[in-house]
Amino acid sequence: MSKRRVRRGWKGRLLALMALAVWLVPPLHAQSDEAPNADTMGADEANWLVLPYASYSPTTEIAVGLVVGYYRMSRPGRRASSVTATFTGTQRRQLIAEAEPELYLADGRWRVEGQLIASDYPNLFYGVGGDTPMAAETAYTARYGTVDLSAQRRGRPQLRAGPRLFVRTGTVRNVDEGTPLARGRVPGADGGTTLGVGVSALWDARSRRYDPRRGTYAEASLLLHSAAWGSDYTFGRLTTDGRGYRPVGPGVAAVQLYTEAVVGTAPFQLLPLLGGSDRMRGFREGRYRDDVYWTAQAEYRVPLFWRFKAAAFASVGATGPRVDASLVENAVAAVGVGGWLRLTDDGVHGRLDLAYSESGVEVYVSLGEAF
């Protein structure tokens, strides 16, 4: 077993709960004391914010960082354009710098959004497949940069579609000796560059972006990565994400169905991953990975008092080499409960989740709803 294996205990989890206090630090705004939104910002208004934050997940353990955001409207009544930058350091010595633009151009006809990431990230790899044993755990460090951008033109009020570009370049180092990853037997073990081009489509009929009470959301993306345009790996990747929200009693019922599939030879870093703080909570992100992945989850969110809410959730999912009966027969499940604290008037929440699965009980402290 790796000498660098992550060790988790209740002491670390109690420290993570203490990090909730960081959420109580109010955002620092320029030009306005209110969170920016389409109803309050005028044509020439701009807001920026600086927000310290803390989080916890099995992948990172305790993480602390800073969010810097800039918001601007092109005209009254339009959704705000924004650029958000996040700088994060974790207990596992992971460093991540990330920028997320969401720009509405040409009177809102075009939406340009995506992610730009630079990271030095110690991580664990368990192999490829839906039944990999814990004993296969391999420690490694990925140093990489990613550019993932979509430009979507509005077709109908809720529908947008357009081209997408994905570029990832990086190296793999500090690999446990004697493992398949160290011997270069796994695609992606030698690092390299992955370049994909494709299309994406978005349907967004939610009542609001954060913590919606009703409506639907659907997104689909198809990317082709090929040596013909400079990629070290040739494969296709299809992703779909469908969500629905409906008031039920005093709260809101939310459901999600997410799928991801790869055809061809993809580096292990870009294979569909099961687990994480948003999908299949209770499993470490990347505990299982393979060419095909699906997960379904449901959550019931109910207000308590002041700015607090509670949630109960359940999820089921599986990974496999192809679409066949094994994707149902080998499915795993997780359940959990959570507490929410509303941080802004437009619905951004701090979230504490306790999730139980075959891996045991896991704790997540994060910003924003899972879906």
Side-chain angles (χ1 to χ4, degrees), residues 160-207:
R160 297 177 180 270
R164 181 181 174 190
L165 172 69
F166 179 89
V167 183
R168 186 186 191 277
T169 184
T171 60
V172 176
R173 54 195 180 88
N174 299 335
V175 181
D176 284 339
E177 296 181 1
T179 62
L181 200 59
R183 294 192 290 268
R185 296 181 180 179
V186 180
D190 297 324
T193 298
T194 306
L195 197 159
V197 295
V199 295
S200 66
L202 172 69
W203 168 273
D204 191 350
R206 295 174 293 180
S207 56

Side-chain angles (χ1 to χ4, degrees), residues 242-303:
R243 311 175 192 179
Y245 308 88
R246 182 176 181 179
V248 176
V252 174
V255 295
Q256 179 189 39
L257 175 62
Y258 179 91
T259 69
E260 192 172 349
V262 162
V263 178
T265 302
F268 77 92
Q269 301 96 326
L270 295 181
L271 287 176
L273 308 177
L274 183 149
S277 61
D278 295 335
R279 293 184 294 271
M280 293 300 297
R281 284 163 284 180
F283 290 88
R284 175 190 173 88
E285 185 178 34
R287 175 61 187 88
Y288 299 110
R289 71 182 77 200
D290 213 328
D291 288 343
V292 181
Y293 166 49
W294 72 272
T295 180
Q297 61 177 333
E299 187 166 271
Y300 185 65
R301 306 161 181 172
V302 60

Side-chain angles (χ1 to χ4, degrees), residues 33-350:
D33 293 332
E34 297 182 356
N37 59 68
D39 297 325
T40 61
M41 291 185 65
D44 298 322
E45 287 187 78
N47 283 12
W48 59 269
L49 65 83
V50 179
L51 176 67
Y53 77 95
S55 65
Y56 182 92
S57 76
T59 306
T60 64
E61 297 191 353
I62 297 175
V64 295
L66 191 70
V67 177
V68 180
Y70 180 79
Y71 303 82
R72 187 176 181 85
M73 285 291 290
S74 59
R75 63 172 57 180
R78 299 287 187 182
R79 292 187 63 183
S81 294
S82 64
V83 179
T84 304
T86 308
F87 306 92
T88 307
T90 79
Q91 189 178 351
R92 294 201 61 220
R93 299 183 179 179
Q94 297 152 330
L95 300 174
I96 310 102
E98 180 176 2
E100 294 186 315
E102 183 177 10
L103 307 175
Y104 290 86
L105 309 174
D107 292 330
R109 290 192 299 273
W110 284 93
R111 173 179 180 260
V112 178
E113 65 87 25
Q115 289 182 316
L116 295 86
I117 303 172
S119 180
D120 189 79
Y121 203 89
N123 208 345
L124 298 175
F125 174 67
Y126 297 90
V128 176
D131 57 354
T132 53
M134 289 292 292
E137 180 184 282
T138 300
Y140 72 98
T141 298
R143 177 175 291 175
Y144 65 92
T146 298
V147 175
D148 187 359
L149 293 173
S150 297
Q152 299 168 331
R153 181 179 173 86
R154 184 178 62 207
R156 298 174 57 186
Q158 295 86 13
L159 179 64
R160 297 177 180 270
R164 181 181 174 190
L165 172 69
F166 179 89
V167 183
R168 186 186 191 277
T169 184
T171 60
V172 176
R173 54 195 180 88
N174 299 335
V175 181
D176 284 339
E177 296 181 1
T179 62
L181 200 59
R183 294 192 290 268
R185 296 181 180 179
V186 180
D190 297 324
T193 298
T194 306
L195 197 159
V197 295
V199 295
S200 66
L202 172 69
W203 168 273
D204 191 350
R206 295 174 293 180
S207 56
R208 61 180 181 178
R209 179 177 179 182
Y210 303 111
D211 188 25
R213 289 191 54 81
R214 64 179 72 247
T216 56
Y217 173 97
E219 187 171 11
S221 173
L222 175 63
L223 280 169
L224 300 178
H225 308 74
S226 174
W229 43 78
S231 178
D232 292 332
Y233 304 92
T234 298
F235 63 99
R237 181 161 46 134
L238 174 65
T239 304
T240 67
D241 183 357
R243 311 175 192 179
Y245 308 88
R246 182 176 181 179
V248 176
V252 174
V255 295
Q256 179 189 39
L257 175 62
Y258 179 91
T259 69
E260 192 172 349
V262 162
V263 178
T265 302
F268 77 92
Q269 301 96 326
L270 295 181
L271 287 176
L273 308 177
L274 183 149
S277 61
D278 295 335
R279 293 184 294 271
M280 293 300 297
R281 284 163 284 180
F283 290 88
R284 175 190 173 88
E285 185 178 34
R287 175 61 187 88
Y288 299 110
R289 71 182 77 200
D290 213 328
D291 288 343
V292 181
Y293 166 49
W294 72 272
T295 180
Q297 61 177 333
E299 187 166 271
Y300 185 65
R301 306 161 181 172
V302 60
L304 296 177
F305 60 93
W306 193 51
R307 292 174 173 259
F308 288 97
K309 289 185 179 181
F313 57 88
S315 59
V316 61
T319 61
R322 63 187 67 86
V323 179
D324 58 20
S326 66
L327 286 175
V328 176
E329 296 169 354
N330 297 331
V332 294
V335 296
V337 295
W340 293 25
L341 171 62
R342 181 164 56 85
L343 302 175
T344 69
D345 291 337
D346 57 348
V348 176
H349 284 75

